[in-house]
DNA sequence: GCCAACGTTGGC
DNA sequence: GCCAACGTTGGC
């Protein structure tokens, strides 16, 4: 059982959207490291911190769960879509996604508050210049954050 | 295989 | 809107 933090811009897709839809494909990831996390390491049942980025109040907004193993991201084949990849083929897909399902909303645990806890000094999202949209969360970090969330 | 140029991310 | 940090691309 592993734990993850997954970023989403709430203007694009928020925790409210996830709550309404229940379970969604995490399509559109076009970064190799993030892809590899989904394809090689994510398992059904893994815990997910749902993080709102690029918004007035960035921070953890809810909890989710990995609900499928990774499979080829359909949007890479859609020639008129913004996630199209001309180098990807059905025989040799380049991008993958898992699906995640809604668990619950949480209080907003802001980036500033996360930074204020020495216990979270190693949280990847807080590292300098971090840009990965999917990062692993250590069990200690996960437990500490869940305790903060009550 | 190097590396400059370019595009993107994301907090502020 | 700014800008630092980073990933990707492509010429050589």
């Amino acid at each position: 059982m592993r734990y993850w933090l997954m970023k989403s811009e709430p203007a694009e897709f928020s925790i409210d959207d996830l709550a309404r839809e229940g379970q969604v494909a995490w399509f559109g990831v076009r970064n190799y490291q993030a892809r590899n996390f989904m394809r090689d390491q994510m398992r059904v049942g893994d815990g997910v911190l749902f993080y709102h980025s690029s918004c007035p109040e960035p921070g953890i907004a809810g909890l989710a769960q990995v609900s499928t193993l990774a499979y080829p991201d359909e949007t890479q084949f859609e020639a008129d879509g913004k996630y199209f990849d001309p180098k990807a083929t059905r025989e040799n897909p380049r991008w993958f996604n898992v699906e995640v399902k809604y668990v619950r909303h949480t209080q907003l645990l802001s980036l500033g508050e996360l930074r204020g806890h020495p216990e979270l000094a190693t949280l990847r999202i807080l590292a300098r210049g971090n840009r990965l949209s999917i990062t692993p969360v250590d069990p200690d970090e996960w437990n500490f954050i869940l305790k903060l969330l009550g």
Side-chain angles (χ1 to χ4, degrees):
Chain A
M1 169 101 169
R2 289 189 165 97
Y3 305 101
W4 308 94
L5 183 146
M6 298 172 82
K7 292 182 194 172
S8 185
E9 302 188 15
E12 293 282 323
F13 190 81
S14 71
I15 187 70
D16 292 341
D17 296 318
L18 183 63
R20 191 175 54 248
E21 297 186 32
Q23 174 164 333
V24 300
W26 205 260
F27 62 84
V29 171
R30 294 294 180 270
N31 170 281
Y32 289 106
Q33 236 184 309
R35 177 203 68 181
N36 293 348
F37 285 141
M38 286 198 284
R39 189 191 58 187
D40 304 334
Q41 296 192 32
M42 283 194 182
R43 296 296 176 262
V44 173
D46 281 2
V48 174
L49 302 172
F50 193 102
Y51 180 92
H52 281 173
S53 67
S54 292
C55 59
E57 275 203 288
I60 295 167
L63 300 179
Q65 221 175 44
V66 175
S67 55
T68 71
L69 289 175
Y71 57 85
D73 178 341
E74 191 60 29
T75 62
Q76 72 194 297
F77 307 122
E78 295 170 354
D80 52 349
K82 69 189 254 199
Y83 295 115
F84 180 60
D85 184 342
K87 292 181 180 163
T89 63
R90 297 266 175 198
E91 297 70 32
N92 193 15
R94 180 181 286 199
W95 305 110
F96 292 78
N97 65 258
V98 296
E99 293 185 14
V100 301
K101 72 177 180 191
Y102 176 74
V103 174
R104 66 177 173 95
H105 278 66
T106 63
Q107 64 180 91
L108 185 88
L109 189 47
S110 72
L111 184 57
E113 182 170 356
L114 291 171
R115 286 220 168 92
H117 293 287
E119 292 88 345
L120 299 177
T122 56
L123 196 66
R124 312 293 198 287
I125 192 96
L126 303 182
R128 182 182 60 101
N130 152 77
R131 281 175 40 191
L132 263 186
S133 64
I134 299 175
T135 49
V137 174
D138 294 339
D140 286 351
E141 297 165 343
W142 173 270
N143 291 330
F144 184 79
I145 287 169
L146 282 217
K147 208 166 54 184
L148 286 181
L149 294 172

